[in-house]
Amino acid sequence: MKLGIKLSFFSAIAALIGAIVVLIFAITQGPPSLMTEQNTVYYGKNGEIIGEDRGAEERYWIDIEDMPEAIKEATLAIEDRRFYEHFGFDLKRIAAAALTDLRQMRMAEGASTITQQYARNLYLSHDKTWTRKIHEALYAIRLEIFYNKDEILEGYLNTIYYGHGAYGIEAASRHYFNKNAGDLTLTEAAMLAGVPKGPSYYSPLTNEENAETRQQQILAEMERNGYISSSEKREAVEASLVYSTTQESDNKDTAPYFQDQVVEEAAELLGVDRESVETGGYHIQTTLVEEHQQILEDKAKRNIPDDDEIQVAAAVMNSHTGAITALIGGKNYEESPFNRATQAKRAIGSTIKPFLYYAALAEGYSPVTMIESKQTEFDIEGSPEPYEPSNFNDQYAEKPVTMAQALAVSDNIYAVSTHLDIGPEKLVDTLQTFGIEEDLKPRASLALGYSSISLYDMMSAYGKMIKGSESLEGHTISKITDRHDNVLYEYQPVYNNDDSIDPERAFTVTHMMTGMFDSSLDAEYASVTGSPIKGKLTRMYGGKSGTTDTDSWMIGFSPQYSSGVWVGYDKGGHSLEGFNDHRYAKAIWADTMEAVHESLPTAAFIPPPGVKGVYIDPETGALSGPNCPQERLVYMEKSVIPEEVCGGDESKDLEDEFKNDPWFKDVVDWFF
């Protein structure tokens, strides 16, 4: 018993000494500034500033005497009702929050006071570390030591983020209601007091239902704490709100959709929310190439008339690194900031087929595997009705075709036959290997892309195929530093020893995708899908287009850059109409790629050592001979190279045929 008393006594003494040390340290540090620079700056690849979120110089600092009582009382009621009673830390609230968390076995309730929240903003770091928490606590103590409560509340209300680039109550009042903060009504004040908890979630301009629910909660708390009467609460709830129609821009003149994606990626990388990125004082080095961005925007605008309701999303990516150099998520950011490149998930159509054929190569298929193209009913286990896909315009070869030709003309029968033969699960697994995280079902229709994936994710997946490695990831950020130039993040490709993407199969498919522009693969029943834009192209590209009733896609690449374009309508189920709707994606892609590559030297993919380039007869899949009317270069493993030669010629010994090839032959072959 006596030992326990002694331990308690010494613990109390230790705690007292610790408190004294903390107080002495806080006092010696002096008063922290009540104002802080919080601009987050975004830089393009060339180091030029492309955007800047608003900081202190764009705020309006007003005295607490000029603030309406309603905004002060509403803020105190919902954020910190014992603000004038505690010394920066509400011990009762902390204990209650801890008890709630224990009951629910999760972090269900926070306990930060206004002083702590203000300290967090002043410290300018939102990383979830003990160092940050200690600094935040010390800032809170220093605020309470050197400033009175009104000064702390004044600073808090002048610096807290209210969304849409508005920092502080004066800026928020002007932005939302086009009036000075001193003129706010109780209804307006209660609405604004609810926004800082989650500016994206509680802004009445973006989510009015959530905002009104929180406003009513605040009014109820104000009544419960004696700030307003029940009649005042009722009048405030019933009063209507009129929002400003002259909203200020979000300060994103350069690549606004790209900048939005940068903020999303930064939030994920730093483990904070979007608002913390925008107000965190970071310096973010992005991958944007302004010339590419201007090209992409110009080509989209030139090809799609302004009065056409159809929408567009597109991106340009470095084929070596995965760096996104340009991105648009719609025709007009001011009219619709919804980012269709990253947020919209649309049916991808035949752009899925390269991944199907990659999976098939692992199951014994090759670029010259023959499957009959004819109208077919596929019996599906567990389904009472057969699955009956069709080719474009219901045209069929009525004979076997090669994989290389089927991909070039986008034969649906070949794709479904292959898909069902190897097992639909194989395609699902392959897409996951290439970074597609959607919950895709192993159905027959998956082979034709009747599943929804974002353009951004498809670009990244194609990039992995082009590079032949999982190490490539689509990204918009190269480095993040804080205001003191401390590096918080720097992009590095991730190389795994057990990289599950086979570079030989990936290269085989990558080269097969050049077939969409090769007229030697034209069939009697269908032309290669790149025919409409082939005349625009001055160098070799690979790619795949895709079309559903509602979506048009084109994703293509060179060894230097890749580009993807989606075109469709926002309205659910709105079908593509007429010739123009179907041509926009390919036209934008071709114009963009040609402009991006205009000043670049010609480049080539170098085949991995496990594959060999051979010329085949596109019609029969046999090796090309002197009597073949057409020939097409394909790459495949030596073990699956056909022995027969078209036109009745005798087959040569393959080793003899290849042993005298110069080392650069396969590289040169890429261009012809």
Side-chain angles (χ1 to χ4, degrees):
M1 184 72 174
K2 291 181 179 180
L3 179 61
I5 294 174
K6 287 182 179 180
L7 287 174
S8 298
F9 174 76
F10 285 118
S11 297
I13 293 297
L16 179 61
I17 293 173
I20 293 172
V21 170
V22 170
L23 285 173
I24 293 173
F25 177 80
I27 292 171
T28 58
Q29 293 296 301
S33 172
L34 292 178
M35 295 183 67
T36 180
E37 294 289 331
Q38 296 196 37
N39 295 10
T40 288
V41 184
Y42 308 98
Y43 302 86
K45 191 175 185 296
N46 63 359
E48 297 291 325
I49 294 176
I50 62 171
E52 184 172 0
D53 281 317
R54 290 182 174 86
E57 77 277 9
E58 294 179 87
R59 304 175 188 182
Y60 305 94
W61 190 283
I62 60 174
D63 294 335
I64 195 167
E65 292 81 6
D66 296 327
M67 298 178 188
E69 289 300 314
I71 191 61
K72 292 183 282 187
E73 293 170 349
T75 301
L76 293 172
I78 196 63
E79 296 289 349
D80 189 359
R81 60 188 178 88
R82 281 188 286 271
F83 173 70
Y84 283 95
E85 301 169 15
H86 61 64
F87 190 69
F89 305 92
D90 191 340
L91 299 181
K92 291 182 180 179
R93 190 174 174 190
I94 290 172
L99 184 60
T100 301
D101 292 346
L102 285 173
R103 286 174 178 169
Q104 300 191 20
M105 298 301 291
R106 63 185 180 91
M107 296 294 289
E109 187 171 313
S112 292
T113 63
I114 283 176
T115 307
Q116 288 174 277
Q117 293 179 52
Y118 189 23
R120 185 178 306 137
N121 291 335
L122 290 173
Y123 180 56
L124 279 180
S125 175
H126 298 268
D127 56 307
K128 299 178 180 179
T129 64
W130 284 107
T131 300
R132 192 271 292 167
K133 292 179 182 295
I134 292 170
H135 278 283
E136 179 188 312
L138 290 172
Y139 262 75
I141 293 171
R142 290 168 62 195
L143 287 171
E144 292 284 348
I145 290 174
F146 291 102
Y147 300 101
N148 63 43
K149 289 291 188 178
D150 283 348
E151 289 174 319
I152 295 172
L153 183 59
E154 177 182 300
Y156 174 82
L157 288 172
N158 274 305
T159 57
I160 197 69
Y161 185 54
Y162 286 89
H164 305 284
Y167 299 88
I169 188 59
E170 178 69 13
S173 180
R174 295 186 188 192
H175 182 82
Y176 287 94
F177 300 113
N178 198 26
K179 62 169 62 175
N180 293 327
D183 298 326
L184 288 171
T185 66
L186 172 60
T187 304
E188 293 166 341
M191 176 62 76
L192 291 182
V195 176
K197 180 178 176 63
S200 298
Y201 192 74
Y202 291 114
S203 165
L205 303 182
T206 57
N207 201 323
E208 192 169 6
E209 183 178 351
N210 289 346
E212 289 178 351
T213 299
R214 184 152 174 83
Q215 177 205 41
Q216 293 173 18
Q217 177 189 359
I218 290 171
L219 290 169
E221 286 295 316
M222 292 181 73
E223 179 189 14
R224 190 165 72 87
N225 287 280
Y227 292 124
I228 59 175
S229 65
S230 59
S231 61
E232 288 175 318
K233 173 196 166 186
R234 184 172 59 256
E235 290 175 6
V237 169
E238 294 174 353
S240 59
L241 290 172
V242 178
Y243 299 105
S244 172
T245 57
T246 57
Q247 305 294 337
E248 295 182 13
S249 69
D250 282 340
N251 194 29
K252 293 180 178 176
D253 294 332
T254 303
Y257 290 108
F258 180 93
Q259 288 193 52
D260 278 354
Q261 178 59 18
V262 169
V263 175
E264 292 293 335
E265 288 186 23
E268 183 176 353
L269 292 169
L270 297 172
V272 300
D273 57 29
R274 183 185 178 94
E275 286 74 34
S276 297
V277 172
E278 294 174 327
T279 63
Y282 301 108
H283 290 255
I284 302 178
Q285 308 289 335
T286 78
T287 58
L288 183 78
V289 176
E290 291 190 57
E291 180 186 5
H292 291 183
Q293 182 68 30
Q294 187 60 49
I295 288 171
L296 188 60
E297 292 177 3
D298 178 65
K299 301 310 178 185
K301 188 175 183 63
R302 284 174 179 267
N303 279 284
I304 302 180
D306 289 338
D307 59 356
D308 196 327
E309 291 185 5
I310 203 165
Q311 278 292 349
V312 62
V316 178
M317 183 178 75
N318 186 302
S319 297
H320 295 288
T321 66
I324 303 297
T325 60
L327 184 144
I328 57 174
K331 290 168 62 178
N332 189 309
Y333 184 84
E334 291 184 0
E335 292 181 0
S336 173
F338 178 68
N339 196 332
R340 295 159 187 83
T342 60
Q343 295 174 284
K345 298 182 187 298
R346 304 292 296 235
I348 60 175
S350 291
T351 60
I352 201 172
K353 289 176 182 175
F355 303 101
L356 169 63
Y357 297 140
Y358 172 90
L361 293 178
E363 303 300 316
Y365 281 66
S366 81
V368 294
T369 298
M370 307 286 287
I371 294 178
E372 190 169 9
S373 169
K374 64 178 182 179
Q375 191 168 7
T376 307
E377 292 185 355
F378 295 92
D379 293 325
I380 307 300
E381 184 177 352
S383 175
E385 299 292 332
Y387 180 55
E388 190 174 2
S390 61
N391 280 344
F392 180 68
N393 285 337
D394 286 322
Q395 299 295 309
Y396 307 91
E398 304 296 346
K399 63 180 181 180
V401 297
T402 64
M403 178 189 288
Q405 189 170 51
L407 181 60
V409 303
S410 204
D411 190 291
N412 289 337
I413 304 303
Y414 192 107
V416 175
S417 296
T418 303
H419 182 55
L420 296 178
D421 179 50
I422 67 174
E425 296 81 6
K426 294 291 196 313
L427 179 53
V428 174
D429 293 342
T430 296
L431 290 168
Q432 291 174 347
T433 297
F434 281 86
I436 302 298
E437 298 179 351
E438 304 302 322
D439 183 21
L440 303 175
K441 305 301 181 185
R443 302 187 178 111
S445 60
L446 182 62
L448 304 183
Y450 288 104
S451 293
S452 298
I453 301 172
S454 73
L455 173 76
Y456 197 83
D457 288 344
M458 287 298 290
M459 287 286 294
S460 190
Y462 265 70
K464 293 177 191 293
M465 181 76 78
I466 297 162
K467 189 171 184 179
S469 171
E470 286 182 291
S471 64
L472 183 143
E473 288 288 346
H475 62 282
T476 61
I477 297 174
S478 57
K479 186 165 70 172
I480 304 175
T481 61
D482 62 18
R483 62 172 179 166
H484 303 296
D485 289 330
N486 296 311
V487 177
L488 305 178
Y489 165 81
E490 190 161 10
Y491 177 79
Q492 294 291 338
V494 178
Y495 292 96
N496 299 318
N497 292 330
D498 59 343
D499 195 331
S500 55
I501 293 178
D502 185 303
E504 295 170 358
R505 282 192 278 144
F507 182 85
T508 297
V509 175
T510 296
H511 186 266
M512 269 203 296
M513 281 193 275
T514 65
M516 74 172 292
F517 304 112
D518 187 348
S519 58
S520 71
L521 289 171
D522 282 340
E524 292 181 1
Y525 70 106
S527 298
V528 293
T529 54
S531 294
I533 55 174
K534 185 182 177 185
K536 293 185 173 187
L537 308 180
T538 60
R539 63 178 71 199
M540 178 68 77
Y541 300 102
K544 187 71 191 77
S545 58
T547 304
T548 69
D549 291 340
T550 57
D551 304 273
S552 178
W553 294 76
M554 178 62 206
I555 305 176
F557 52 86
S558 76
Q560 293 125 313
Y561 287 100
S562 309
S563 180
V565 182
W566 165 87
V567 172
Y569 291 90
D570 285 338
K571 299 175 183 177
H574 193 300
S575 297
L576 299 177
E577 301 171 348
F579 171 77
N580 283 334
D581 284 6
H582 289 88
R583 75 168 184 86
Y584 287 143
K586 289 179 182 176
I588 294 169
W589 177 86
D591 291 347
T592 297
M593 290 292 276
E594 281 293 292
V596 165
H597 287 82
E598 185 175 4
S599 61
L600 298 178
T602 306
F605 288 109
I606 299 176
V611 298
K612 184 65 188 176
V614 295
Y615 285 92
I616 65 162
D617 171 25
E619 289 294 316
T620 65
L623 289 175
S624 174
N627 298 323
C628 290
Q630 295 280 359
E631 65 178 11
R632 160 71 183 174
L633 176 69
V634 298
Y635 285 85
M636 62 185 84
E637 294 181 8
K638 291 181 181 180
S639 61
V640 297
I641 293 175
E643 296 182 358
E644 64 276 13
V645 178
C646 76
D649 297 308
E650 295 182 2
S651 176
K652 301 177 183 179
D653 182 87
L654 292 178
E655 291 300 322
D656 290 340
E657 182 180 352
F658 299 142
K659 68 181 181 181
N660 294 320
D661 282 353
W663 65 270
F664 56 83
K665 179 179 183 297
D666 285 335
V667 176
V668 175
D669 280 341
W670 175 264
F671 301 103
F672 299 97

